[in-house]
Amino acid sequence: MFHVGWRGEKRVYGCVIHIEIKEGKIWIQRDGTEVGIEEN
């Protein structure tokens, strides 16, 4: 999941959540949420 938008005249973007599925397992590479996706 990405966030994309503008802050004034500057374009902002970034990765909020990066999840990979490898060999049937879920790997959380990045979790930029406040609550945390692993906690839910």
Side-chain angles (χ1 to χ4, degrees):
M1 178 179 356
F2 291 89
H3 69 266
V4 179
W6 294 89
R7 184 174 297 142
E9 293 187 18
K10 184 177 180 181
R11 185 166 190 258
V12 294
Y13 59 93
C15 176
V16 179
I17 299 172
H18 178 185
I19 298 173
E20 291 186 45
I21 300 174
K22 296 180 183 177
E23 299 176 5
K25 295 183 180 181
I26 298 173
W27 295 84
I28 301 171
Q29 301 295 347
R30 168 145 171 73
D31 181 0
T33 63
E34 286 185 28
V35 176
I37 58 174
E38 186 176 358
E39 299 294 320
N40 292 319

